[in-house]
Amino acid sequence: MGVTIVTDSTCDLSPQMLNEFGIKMVPLKVFFEDEVYKDWVEITPETFYKKLTSSTVLPRTSQPSPEEFLDIFKQEIENGNEIVSIHLSSKLSGTYNSACLARDMLDSQKVFVIDGKSASIGTGVLAILAKRLADEGMPAKDIASFIIQKTNTIRHIFAVETLEYLKKGGRISPAKATIGNILNIKPILHIVDGVVEPLDKVRGMKRALPRIIEEVNKKGLDLKNQVCGFCYAGDLSEVEELINTIKQEISPGELIVTQIGSVIGTYVGPGTFAFIFFEE
């Protein structure tokens, strides 16, 4: 008997990375009017951002149904495995609740569903840590307990290039977005207990990463033994300098780098980037 790690597509681990790590994924969906795509499965980040910037209407997103989780859970249990299922913050999406409903349908003690209290590569890093523990032979109950502890210390700090998508998604008022764009204001945001909160703001995107690095360094943390994450909404080749700066100035032990997929990208827009670490 083994332990299967399940997550959802907002973890923003590419299909290749999911295959490499051996993690199962249930996709959310993104809608461009009458067109519907499974996040990371039927639409790549490259295609999504092209459609997003050319569309006059903000796409919609939807969570997986409990039945979609149920199919994976049942198959893994039939194969003799336990399951640890780690998901996007329950305060940002109903995905976690769908997974809980699937677990309850099975009435099984072999399924552990976790609110990751994060998003994007934050959830992805938690899933990777869980899989490595599973590979070491740790039981699902103990893995779940460890990951729940990690959700209390994970820090997710990000900067957005434009306020337009936060405005379209109803996260800020049109007036604030207009003023912010005119003044070239770039908000620095973070996730606190699963909710997006303002942290600071800078004038110009070039000041965003130094501000994030400052926030990390003032914690006095040694990240040399941590698995950290970096994600970007767009082409990763555009942010090689940012990645190198993080490696030089913060020195994370391991840095998982990926793009931001269509569901998270709907709300943050192109140009957004985030750094994930643990405050411990």
Side-chain angles (χ1 to χ4, degrees):
M1 182 176 70
V3 179
T4 299
I5 307 303
V6 177
T7 186
D8 61 75
S9 63
T10 66
C11 71
D12 286 337
L13 297 174
S14 69
Q16 293 78 14
M17 296 176 80
L18 290 166
N19 183 62
E20 175 188 341
F21 288 112
I23 296 169
K24 302 284 186 179
M25 182 271 278
V26 178
L28 280 76
K29 298 179 181 68
V30 60
F31 298 80
F32 281 93
E33 297 188 1
D34 295 332
E35 299 175 350
V36 57
Y37 303 92
K38 292 180 180 178
D39 185 28
W40 279 105
V41 176
E42 297 174 340
I43 187 167
T44 64
E46 292 84 357
T47 299
F48 168 74
Y49 289 111
K50 287 178 183 177
K51 291 178 72 69
L52 180 67
T53 53
S54 63
S55 176
T56 57
V57 180
L58 187 73
R60 297 180 294 111
T61 62
S62 71
Q63 68 206 42
S65 67
E67 288 74 20
E68 290 173 273
F69 284 108
L70 187 63
D71 288 343
I72 286 183
F73 291 173
K74 284 177 67 175
Q75 181 179 354
E76 293 304 318
I77 289 174
E78 288 170 1
N79 290 338
N81 296 323
E82 296 181 296
I83 298 155
V84 176
S85 199
I86 307 166
H87 300 289
L88 172 66
S89 168
S90 63
K91 295 177 181 176
L92 299 177
S93 167
T95 302
Y96 165 77
N97 289 332
S98 285
C100 288
L101 287 170
R103 174 202 60 202
D104 296 344
M105 288 177 189
L106 285 171
D107 191 25
S108 173
Q109 302 301 310
K110 295 183 177 182
V111 182
F112 300 84
V113 181
I114 298 171
D115 180 350
K117 298 182 182 178
S118 189
S120 191
I121 194 58
T123 310
V125 166
L126 292 173
I128 290 168
L129 292 174
K131 183 60 171 68
R132 289 175 176 173
L133 293 175
D135 290 343
E136 292 173 4
M138 183 179 287
K141 183 178 180 181
D142 294 339
I143 294 173
S145 178
F146 176 85
I147 296 299
I148 288 169
Q149 290 178 356
K150 299 294 278 187
T151 67
N152 294 323
T153 61
I154 195 167
R155 292 293 308 276
H156 184 134
I157 307 179
F158 61 106
V160 297
E161 172 69 38
T162 173
L163 296 168
E164 191 66 20
Y165 298 96
L166 289 169
K167 180 190 76 174
K168 288 180 179 178
R171 269 53 180 183
I172 62 171
S173 70
K176 286 184 178 179
T178 300
I179 293 171
N181 287 331
I182 290 173
L183 297 176
N184 198 25
I185 297 298
K186 309 300 181 185
I188 308 294
L189 308 167
H190 62 160
I191 297 179
V192 180
D193 194 29
V195 178
V196 176
E197 299 282 359
L199 176 65
D200 202 353
K201 54 189 175 185
V202 294
R203 182 165 291 183
M205 207 62 176
K206 288 186 177 180
R207 299 182 181 181
L209 184 60
R211 178 64 187 88
I212 291 174
I213 290 173
E214 177 189 353
E215 184 68 20
V216 175
N217 285 337
K218 77 179 186 181
K219 302 291 182 182
L221 301 170
D222 183 357
L223 303 187
K224 289 184 176 62
N225 295 318
Q226 283 199 23
V227 179
C228 301
F230 177 88
C231 56
Y232 175 72
D235 187 341
L236 285 173
S237 65
E238 299 173 2
V239 291
E240 290 180 358
E241 185 178 344
L242 299 184
I243 294 167
N244 289 333
T245 299
I246 288 171
K247 289 179 177 178
Q248 291 170 6
E249 299 199 22
I250 302 179
S251 301
E254 181 178 357
L255 186 65
I256 306 296
V257 178
T258 188
Q259 293 171 290
I260 295 175
S262 62
V263 169
I264 299 297
T266 293
Y267 299 101
V268 298
T272 296
F273 66 85
F275 180 64
I276 311 300
F277 64 102
F278 294 90
E279 197 170 336
E280 55 188 36

